[in-house]
Structure formats: C-alpha cells, structure tokens
Amino acid sequence: MKSDRDDPAAPSESPGEAAALTGVPAQDGHSPSDPAHRPADDAARTTEKVHSTDAARTTGKVHPVDEILPPGRMLLASFQHVASMYAGAVSVPLVVAVATKMSPGDTAVLMGGSLLMAGIATLLQTLGIGNFIGSRLPFVNGVSFAGVGVMLTIIATQGGIEAGMPVVFGAIIVSSLFGFLVSSYFSRLVRFFPPVVTGSVITLIGVSLVPVAYRWIVDESPSGTAEPRSIGLAGATILIMLLLQRFTRGFLKQVSMLIAMVCGTLLAVPMGLADFSALRGADLFGVPNPLHFGAPQFSLPAIVSMCVVMLVILTESTADMIALGKIVGREADEKTIARGLRADSLGSALSPLFNAFHASAFAQNIGLVVISKVRSRFVVALSGAILVLIGLSPAAAALVSVVPMPVLAAVSLFLFGSIAVSGIQTLLQADLHRGDNALIVVVTLGAGLAPSLSDGFYAAFPDWAQIILGSGISTGCILAVALNLVFNHFGRKGARVGEQEEPVLSH
C-alpha cells in the first residue's frame, strides 16, 4: 500500500496520522494518537514555515492562521475538511449503535448529535471565547474513539441501552468537567504520559476493537456464522480501499474510507444486503431532541472510568496542538494548550445534552492542512458551521445508518488497525531495549486485552468492578501510568548510567 511518504507535499506518518491513510481519524475517533512525532525532514519544513511567518509578522501581514480567504476558495477548502473527517465522525456512534443493537431511529439520533456537537466543538476550538477557551488553530473536532470500550462496558453492565445510555452520558459530563478543571495544569503533567504509556494505551485501544469488526460480519447472518456473501462484500470493500490507497493521492486518498463505504453499499444492493428503510420518513431538517435517551445518571465507577478516558483524550489533544502549531507557524505554548483543552472539555460536557459523546481534536485534518497549504482557522470554522447544518438534518444522519454491516466491518478494520499502528509508531519513540519499558508494554497489553479476548472474563465480579475492568482500556491506562511512575519516576534520581530520558512528546 502506497504511503503518504511518497507525496512530498504530505506530512510523514505519525501516530495520529497513520489513520489518515484510510481517510479516518485515530481519536477518536476520535480517534486516539500522538501526532506530535515528526521526522527530521518534517521538522526542517516546519522550522522554515516558522521563520517565514515570523518574517510576515514583522512586515505587518496577517498571519496565515488568521487569514480570511475569498468566499469561493474558503467554501471549497471547508468542504474538503468536512469530507475528510465525516466518515470518522460518525464511526463512533455507529460502533456503539451496532454493538448495542440500537434501532435505526436511535442510531440516527446518535449520529445527528455527534455531527452537531462536532461542529459546535470545532467553532469553540477555532474561534474561541474570549481569551479563555479555544486554541484558535485550524482544528476540526469530532468524537473520540478513546471511550468506546468503556461505554460499551457500561451499557452491558447496566443491562442495555435504556438503563446504560443515561449512565454513559452522566459519566461523560462529570469527566468533561474534570477535564475542564485540570486543563490549566495538564501541560505540566504530560511528562507522566511518555511514549511508553501513550503508545501502550493507543495500541491497546486499536487491538481490542478489532474483534468487534469481525463480530459485525457474523451478526449479519441469521445462522450465527459468517456467510460467504457477507465475507465477500467485506473483502470487496477492503479491495476498493486498497486500490484507492495505491492509485490516488492527496485529497482522494484522504477520503478513501468515505468512497469505499459508498461503493460497498452500492455493491450490497444486488447481493440483498442493503436496507434503505431508515430513509423513509426522515426529515430533511429537524432540531435534535435533547436528552433523547433520558436524563443523565451518575455512577461512581462509570465516572472513574470516564475520567481515565478523559486523561487519554487530553494527552492526544495536547500532542495534536503541539504538532499543528509547528506546521502552521504558530507555536502552541502552555496558554494555547490550556485554552484548547478547555474547548475540548466544554464541547464534551455539552455533548450528552444532544446525545453525543466526548469531543476531541481530529489529527487527521492535520494532513489536509499540509496538503492544501491552507492554514486559516476561519476555513475550519466554516467546516464547523457546515457540520452543524448536517447535524440538523435527520435525513443526512439516516443516510449513514444504511451502510451494511459487512461494509462497516471492512472500513472499521482499517480504522481499528490504523489506531493500533499509531500506537506502535508511538512505542518506537520509547526505549524498549530497557527492560522496564518493555515490561510496562507487556503488562498493559496483557491485562487490557483480557476482556476482548475472553468474553465474560470479569463476569463474576461486582457490577462496579466490571465497569472499571471490563473495558480493558481503563485498566490498561491505569496500569501503564502506575508502572511508569514506579519504574521511571519514584526513587529515580535522573537517568541510570548509560540510559537517556525518554522524550515526553517528540517532534
């Protein structure tokens, strides 16, 4: 498969941008990543951009980030951002809806709310509120993938959607307020999340979700086993994505997942695997029903698990802001990072009111900024406004819900695999030749994958313990942070002889 490294205009792959090969975010979605890692050639290019923009500043010119483009060019660039992240933005609600067997109506509500809040969070991030909220960098926000495992565990533990969704939304609200409170200090705490920790957790998120995609192919069959036509449709969708990756470049390569979803759905029609009943009666415009799944409920174990997820999201967003700041020539200092994290947290806290999940910066769009050379935050702000309009259209949300399960499984394999690869790339920054770091990775993955590889592994535990342990991601993250503190911080006065300190965020 052809890499974006072959394109001199594209940035080198990083943990947050490996998913860009498939046209989807990692984060999430959305998805979870560390795109601050840049090879030396990218560093040289971004340094050159910094010098050029510094020169522009001294001559009184508007910084490219604050530039307002002509209407036609701005609209075209905005639609590019929307197209490159749309499939990723709806992936998380689709994953949750399919895994919990939601009705098409509830699925459309989730997707509409996710698109609406992605737009609002993007506006908060790009335009800001006063001098307190918003990084004012060209970031598109969307639903983070970091909380998927925890949400599914909470819903399963509570006995289904009716009882589980209010608990999920209550935990998201509290954890987001927690994130808002710690935003001012988080940039100083990033040293406790070095590559060995973030890489282990990101890899765990991706690998633990892969079995979900295979189950979707089986779920399509009434016999309980995967039928040849379902496997064939999934394989054809994967082939389309591979061909797009091999023979397209630039923007088409970025939206390959969206194109593959459309082509796979069309192929499903003659195979009898397409169902468009969800489109009947869907209004072109409609205001989302707030708290569609009921008033939020608050459970301490669920809140603890979601607070762990929030720390992962804050770590990803911090890395994303540092990386994008270098690319656009406006360095992200501590104040910028704090404002950006507050925007993420505020968007996440508001999301449950409109039936959406945690919002975070989409690293995928960083690649589009480099390819298009358009660095204006107002372009991305217009993208946010477009997402709001799409979120207010039940027909648009219902259109995504008709994607057949094998097609969704195929593109999700790329998505989940890309998240895992992002984690592996982050781990490459860690010194795994040190036995301590290797041990952290082994224990994190070993303990974190238990619920995914063995159904009912914690079934004999109390419900509150299942919520924390059952997702694997919360367990893995807690273990990774704790082991890193034990081996690399407590009782350690500087690096051992012959060892070098790990970088917190490599550029």
Side-chain angles (χ1 to χ4, degrees):
M1 182 163 54
K2 186 174 180 180
S3 167
D4 277 339
R5 297 178 191 277
D6 298 334
D7 187 346
S12 298
E13 292 171 34
S14 67
E17 294 169 329
L21 290 175
T22 60
V24 294
Q27 262 285 345
D28 356 337
H30 42 141
S31 335
S33 56
D34 181 6
H37 170 59
R38 303 274 167 190
D41 56 340
D42 277 349
R45 284 199 297 272
T46 52
T47 301
E48 184 179 336
K49 289 176 185 174
V50 171
H51 290 320
S52 64
T53 50
D54 284 343
R57 217 178 278 120
T58 59
T59 59
K61 293 182 179 179
V62 176
H63 193 287
V65 172
D66 299 320
E67 183 182 6
I68 299 179
L69 302 180
R73 187 181 174 202
M74 179 177 284
L75 188 62
L76 177 61
S78 297
F79 273 115
Q80 284 184 317
H81 277 284
V82 172
S84 68
M85 61 81 68
Y86 184 85
V90 298
S91 291
V92 173
L94 267 178
V95 169
V96 174
V98 171
T100 57
K101 303 188 186 311
M102 281 188 186
S103 67
D106 286 345
T107 301
V109 167
L110 269 189
M111 287 188 288
S114 296
L115 291 168
L116 173 66
M117 289 311 303
I120 292 175
T122 297
L123 291 171
L124 287 173
Q125 194 68 263
T126 53
L127 301 181
I129 298 177
N131 197 33
F132 192 66
I133 292 174
S135 65
R136 291 175 173 81
L137 290 172
F139 260 130
V140 172
N141 275 49
V143 185
S144 172
F145 248 101
V148 171
V150 175
M151 291 188 289
L152 294 180
T153 300
I154 293 173
I155 293 171
T157 304
Q158 296 296 319
I161 300 168
E162 186 175 347
M165 290 299 287
V167 175
V168 166
F169 287 138
I172 290 175
I173 291 173
V174 175
S175 64
S176 300
L177 294 177
F178 163 73
F180 192 91
L181 292 175
V182 304
S183 294
S184 299
Y185 314 99
F186 190 78
S187 60
R188 305 171 199 170
L189 302 177
V190 175
R191 66 192 184 93
F192 296 113
F193 295 85
V196 67
V197 172
T198 56
S200 298
V201 173
I202 294 167
T203 303
L204 174 61
I205 291 172
V207 175
S208 64
L209 289 172
V210 168
V212 174
Y214 285 109
R215 282 199 291 270
W216 291 345
I217 300 176
V218 175
D219 289 344
E220 186 73 6
S221 170
S223 65
T225 58
E227 295 181 353
R229 62 173 183 166
S230 297
I231 297 175
L233 180 58
T237 305
I238 290 175
L239 179 61
I240 291 171
M241 289 193 68
L242 290 173
L243 292 174
L244 289 169
Q245 288 292 313
R246 176 62 183 87
F247 296 107
T248 62
R249 298 171 68 84
F251 178 67
L252 285 178
K253 197 169 189 176
Q254 290 242 335
V255 298
S256 60
M257 175 178 165
L258 190 61
I259 297 172
M261 288 176 70
V262 173
C263 294
T265 302
L266 294 177
L267 286 174
V269 174
M271 300 174 69
L273 292 174
D275 180 9
F276 296 96
S277 60
L279 296 177
R280 295 174 193 156
D283 297 328
L284 187 61
F285 178 83
V287 179
N289 180 22
L291 302 177
H292 173 80
F293 295 93
Q297 297 179 14
F298 304 97
S299 163
L300 183 58
I303 290 170
V304 171
S305 294
M306 280 298 182
C307 283
V308 173
V309 169
M310 195 67 205
L311 290 175
V312 175
I313 292 173
L314 295 179
T315 304
E316 297 168 1
S317 294
T318 298
D320 291 346
M321 279 184 273
I322 292 173
L324 186 59
K326 286 185 172 295
I327 288 171
V328 301
R330 176 175 283 178
E331 296 285 348
D333 56 18
E334 283 193 9
K335 291 183 179 179
T336 300
I337 292 172
R339 291 197 304 266
L341 295 181
R342 290 188 199 109
D344 276 0
S345 300
L346 179 59
S348 297
L350 295 175
S351 290
L353 301 179
F354 294 97
N355 316 297
F357 306 126
H358 280 119
S360 66
F362 264 28
Q364 176 194 357
N365 290 76
I366 294 176
L368 187 55
V369 169
V370 178
I371 292 171
S372 67
K373 296 181 173 60
V374 175
R375 292 178 269 170
S376 171
R377 61 189 174 98
F378 296 106
V379 166
V380 179
L382 182 56
S383 302
I386 294 171
L387 286 171
V388 169
L389 292 177
I390 297 174
L392 293 174
S393 173
L399 185 63
V400 181
S401 67
V402 304
V403 177
M405 296 276 282
V407 175
L408 179 61
V411 295
S412 295
L413 283 174
F414 271 77
L415 175 63
F416 302 155
S418 295
I419 294 172
V421 170
S422 298
I424 294 170
Q425 288 180 319
T426 304
L427 285 173
L428 292 177
Q429 301 175 48
D431 183 7
L432 296 182
H433 293 292
R434 282 169 42 189
D436 294 348
N437 280 349
L439 184 62
I440 293 172
V441 178
V442 168
V443 174
T444 299
L445 294 180
L449 287 174
S452 299
L453 301 179
S454 177
D455 290 337
F457 189 79
Y458 294 110
F461 282 64
D463 288 348
W464 65 266
Q466 289 186 48
I467 292 175
I468 297 175
L469 300 174
S471 74
I473 296 169
S474 296
T475 307
C477 185
I478 292 171
L479 281 173
V481 172
L483 290 174
N484 177 61
L485 289 174
V486 170
F487 288 115
N488 295 325
H489 289 275
F490 293 156
R492 180 185 175 101
K493 298 180 179 179
R496 294 171 184 153
V497 177
E499 293 181 357
Q500 293 182 341
E501 291 285 357
E502 269 191 271
V504 176
L505 293 172
S506 301
H507 308 310

